[in-house]
Amino acid sequence: MTKILLTIHILAVIVAIGPVAVAASMFPPLARKALASGNDEDRATLRLLNRICKVYALVSIAVPVFGFATAGIMHVTGNLWIIVSIVLTGVAALVLGLLVLPYQQRVLDGTPTPTAQLAMYTGVFNLLWAAVTVVMIFRPGSTLDS
């Protein structure tokens, strides 16, 4: 059962977080271009990228759900590497929900928005996920290392 849950957890990360990371990263440079040109095609693409971010952000709820299930079966929920990854995942979710998505919406609404700041928040979101990946691979303090 552990291998099945771990597989689902990893697939959820790839399928859910990957598209958010890519779409969110594509948004700021296209926003700069769209704001400068006023091109309707660029604005339509921005709406699509924002929708991808929103939909996959909801789908990504499966990541911690299956992560907790896997950690529970493995009896590692109190390990440092799990706690650190949970905290980093929570911070990444907050950055996405409180900064990246609202800034994207401001651009779509035509509100003057610093796209450099949006790019920074998106970079922080992606770095947090990179950090989670490193923690999950190296598992500091783990007793599971061979």
Side-chain angles (χ1 to χ4, degrees):
M1 187 63 161
T2 302
K3 289 183 181 183
I4 291 170
L5 286 174
L6 183 58
T7 301
I8 293 170
H9 172 63
I10 292 169
L11 286 172
V13 170
I14 294 166
V15 170
I17 304 302
V20 174
V22 171
S25 296
M26 292 173 65
F27 194 97
L30 185 60
R32 282 190 287 278
K33 181 182 170 196
L35 292 171
S37 71
N39 185 331
D40 287 339
E41 269 187 40
D42 290 341
R43 290 196 174 279
T45 304
L46 286 175
R47 284 191 297 276
L48 174 63
L49 292 173
N50 176 255
R51 184 178 176 126
I52 289 168
C53 289
K54 286 179 180 176
V55 169
Y56 282 93
L58 290 175
V59 172
S60 70
I61 293 169
V63 173
V65 168
F66 286 101
F68 276 119
T70 304
I73 285 180
M74 292 174 66
H75 306 291
V76 294
T77 51
N79 286 14
L80 176 64
W81 60 282
I82 293 292
I83 295 167
V84 170
S85 67
I86 290 168
V87 169
L88 291 172
T89 298
V91 173
L94 289 172
V95 168
L96 181 65
L98 298 177
L99 298 170
V100 174
L101 292 176
Y103 267 70
Q104 286 181 355
Q105 192 60 52
R106 289 180 197 157
V107 170
L108 293 174
D109 293 342
T111 305
T113 305
T115 56
Q117 200 168 9
L118 173 57
M120 179 190 66
Y121 294 145
T122 301
V124 169
F125 171 76
N126 288 335
L127 283 172
L128 286 164
W129 277 111
V132 170
T133 302
V134 169
V135 168
M136 296 303 277
I137 292 170
F138 289 99
R139 301 182 316 225
S142 173
T143 58
L144 301 175
D145 292 329
S146 50

